[in-house]
Amino acid sequence: MSGMQPVRGTRDLIGDAFRRHHHVIETARHVTGLYGLEEWATPIFEATSVFARTLGDTSDVVTKEMYTFEDRGGDSVTLRPENTAGIVRALVSNGLAQQALPRKVFYAGPMFRYERPQKGRYRQFHQIGAEILGAAEPLADAEVIACGWQILQQLGIDDGVVLELNTLGDTPSRDAYRAALVEYFTAHRDQLSEDSQKRLEKNPLRILDSKDAGDKALVAEAPTIHQHLTPQAAEFHTAVKRHLDRFGVPYRDNPRIVRGLDYYSHTAFEFVTDRLGAQGTVMAGGRYDGLVQEMGGPATPCVGWAAGVDRLAELLEETPDPVRPVAVVPVSEAEEGPAVELLQMLRAAGVPAEIAYKGNLKKRMERANRVGSQAAIIIGESEVAEGVVVVRNLSDGTQERVGMPGLLPALAAAGVVDAMLEQMVEEMELAAEGDEFDEDESDEE
Ligand code: ATP
Ligand code: MG
């Protein structure tokens, strides 16, 4: 290969890859809408302090993965490695934290991390995410998880994905747990990786998240938070699980799931799969009650998640069909005028249609086949004179001459309008999803 190449760890989304990606985002946009989330778009870069402050100076993201540079004015800016910090910054800088809460937010977009590229791990990747800003109740934790689960169901990938659930407790729980972890890992200090020896000083909880094989063996035997939970923290966790049962979301306890930063508390979770090799986490989140205050806003409890679009797209069983435009084919330049008129009429009626810009009849028909057209509408001199067109069904080669009233039926016969109908039915089914509910559950326990 020669010439310009994309930057290492970035890739182009074209054809199948784009449609899979787009389908994930559109499905998430639709489902989060059913849960009353509004979509926000924040800038792709922020002042470096937005991330340095929120992600903590010991996290991998901040120490190794950020794309940070000085702009021409000498300010340090960073391409966003994730979107929660940007959403919280937006909540605070737009004065929204003082207004009616909770705000329920959805986002989708590219993120940037300087990581070693491999399958399912890129330097520019894409996330969708949901944040409930300003809700302290366990129902919020359960509902935002249920929303994530419904996206996975709607994508048809829920049977290979498991929700792993944990709690980090409240501050007293975590302080007691941290002390227990420090004691345990200090006793095994020389077996820890170099990174985890540093974490032991600064943020021992993060050791639980280590990908180092030696660390993992130690972590397997480490104490869990459950002996250290305060009664209030234990009750919060129980309430989240009770609500998850009501939402019909299955889960598995995993005491190793952590979010290593101080402002995280209570619920921590990951949706994981064994279908993607080492990159098995598709969605991850938790409660972050301390973050808004950390960023200069009022105390505002929040919970949310982020999911990797690239990994979700990889899991899809089927690639969504491309649009198959009807080919409008003037036999010679003389029929280009009527052809353009017909094109615009079809498009106004919602029928995708396209035209080749040059070539004889044969060349234009070749193009129609190449772009997957189900039908071609051919217009020659005699057709213009008689006010008719020839509709050719490109799957079986049959054709008929029809006047304008016969056009849509002829396209339907070639499968064109059918495909449109199918898509409409699918959209209606999506819209109807939200109406189903179980009646057999009582709210009392
Ligand atoms: P990992 O442990 O895989 O590095 P993480 O803990 O860094 O993940 P989060 O910051 O929680 O990931 O991001 C949420 C999700 O975004 C991940 O579960 C994953 O699906 C996706 N993701 C994170 N980093 C990348 C990347 N470099 N390329 C592709 N997807 C990613
Ligand atoms: Mg990572």
Side-chain angles (χ1 to χ4, degrees):
M1 261 186 282
S2 63
M4 306 277 277
Q5 294 294 317
V7 171
R8 186 166 138 80
T10 70
R11 59 196 184 123
D12 303 306
L13 297 172
I14 296 174
D16 285 5
F18 180 84
R19 291 197 308 284
R20 294 171 79 92
H21 188 93
H22 185 69
H23 179 64
V24 169
I25 293 174
E26 281 304 302
T27 303
R29 189 168 273 140
H30 172 76
V31 173
T32 54
L34 295 177
Y35 283 73
L37 274 60
E38 52 174 332
E39 185 164 353
W40 289 10
T42 64
I44 281 174
F45 61 99
E46 298 269 357
T48 299
S49 57
V50 167
F51 305 109
R53 179 139 22 131
T54 58
L55 298 173
D57 50 13
T58 58
S59 72
D60 281 356
V61 171
V62 170
T63 54
K64 303 179 196 156
E65 298 175 1
M66 290 204 316
Y67 276 95
T68 297
F69 56 96
E70 237 180 57
D71 68 13
R72 289 171 191 276
D75 292 325
S76 179
V77 296
T78 296
L79 301 183
R80 62 184 187 192
E82 52 91 44
N83 211 158
T84 302
I87 295 285
V88 168
R89 197 271 311 136
L91 183 85
V92 173
S93 52
N94 290 285
L96 301 175
Q98 279 81 7
Q99 296 180 15
L101 295 175
R103 289 297 277 248
K104 305 180 181 183
V105 177
F106 168 70
Y107 65 80
M111 309 294 156
F112 307 85
R113 295 184 193 178
Y114 192 79
E115 307 202 61
R116 192 169 67 78
Q118 47 198 298
K119 196 174 161 65
R121 193 175 292 285
Y122 307 98
R123 290 183 173 175
Q124 174 172 333
F125 63 104
H126 301 79
Q127 286 183 337
I128 48 173
E131 315 285 4
I132 310 297
L133 307 165
E137 296 73 23
L139 180 54
D141 305 52
E143 195 185 36
V144 82
I145 292 173
C147 177
W149 177 242
Q150 191 167 333
I151 292 169
L152 301 179
Q153 285 180 313
Q154 192 85 65
L155 291 171
I157 58 183
D158 51 306
D159 62 343
V161 178
V162 174
L163 168 60
E164 304 206 322
L165 185 67
N166 192 27
T167 177
L168 305 172
D170 46 18
T171 307
S173 316
R174 212 170 41 256
D175 288 347
Y177 183 44
R178 187 183 289 113
L181 281 181
V182 168
E183 190 181 327
Y184 170 80
F185 285 121
T186 304
H188 300 89
R189 194 169 212 293
D190 44 349
Q191 290 157 259
L192 282 175
S193 68
E194 206 176 305
D195 276 347
S196 284
Q197 295 193 8
K198 278 187 214 140
R199 293 182 184 120
L200 183 54
E201 249 92 84
K202 291 187 167 171
N203 197 340
L205 253 73
R206 280 210 84 88
I207 300 175
L208 300 182
D209 207 15
S210 172
K211 293 181 177 79
D212 177 272
D215 290 350
K216 278 186 174 171
L218 277 182
V219 165
E221 304 299 319
T224 70
I225 193 159
H226 292 273
Q227 304 92 283
H228 304 283
L229 289 180
T230 61
Q232 295 85 338
E235 170 47 31
F236 189 97
H237 192 46
T238 307
V240 171
K241 290 178 167 185
R242 192 162 57 226
H243 287 307
L244 282 175
D245 292 339
R246 290 175 179 147
F247 280 114
V249 181
Y251 57 84
R252 174 162 88 195
D253 290 307
N254 181 349
R256 310 293 165 211
I257 303 280
V258 289
R259 312 268 98 199
L261 309 174
D262 280 349
Y263 54 79
Y264 275 102
S265 52
H266 296 293
T267 312
F269 62 91
E270 287 184 3
F271 284 93
V272 298
T273 179
D274 53 17
R275 292 195 192 157
L276 292 174
Q279 269 58 252
T281 305
V282 293
M283 188 181 283
R287 175 163 279 285
Y288 50 99
D289 288 348
L291 181 56
V292 178
Q293 221 166 0
E294 189 98 359
M295 297 207 56
T300 309
C302 304
V303 59
W305 51 254
V309 174
D310 311 81
R311 295 182 193 177
L312 293 173
E314 184 75 33
L315 285 175
L316 293 179
E317 299 265 344
E318 283 172 37
T319 301
D321 289 332
V323 174
R324 302 176 68 180
V326 169
V328 173
V329 180
V331 171
S332 73
E333 240 175 75
E335 290 82 34
E336 277 180 359
V340 166
E341 240 172 80
L342 185 60
L343 274 173
Q344 293 306 79
M345 202 188 82
L346 289 166
R347 290 166 181 162
V351 179
E354 72 123 50
I355 185 168
Y357 300 126
K358 62 170 203 244
N360 57 20
L361 182 61
K362 181 160 170 278
K363 282 265 179 311
R364 289 178 195 248
M365 293 306 289
E366 276 168 14
R367 175 173 170 86
N369 282 309
R370 200 167 57 243
V371 301
S373 300
Q374 291 161 298
I377 304 176
I378 302 161
I379 314 174
E381 200 181 344
S382 67
E383 282 78 25
V384 174
E386 290 168 42
V388 298
V389 295
V390 173
V391 175
R392 185 182 298 180
N393 179 333
L394 293 178
S395 31
D396 63 12
T398 57
Q399 60 181 50
E400 52 178 323
R401 272 167 94 85
V402 295
M404 285 307 116
L407 182 56
L408 281 182
L411 290 176
V416 173
V417 185
D418 244 25
M420 286 174 56
L421 270 181
E422 249 168 55
Q423 191 174 340
M424 277 169 67
V425 169
E426 197 175 297
E427 276 164 18
M428 281 162 66
E429 276 171 3
L430 273 180
E433 282 295 322
D435 298 342
E436 295 165 26
F437 64 95
D438 291 340
E439 299 179 300
D440 58 6
E441 291 236 332
S442 130
D443 258 352
E444 303 302 319
E445 294 244 356

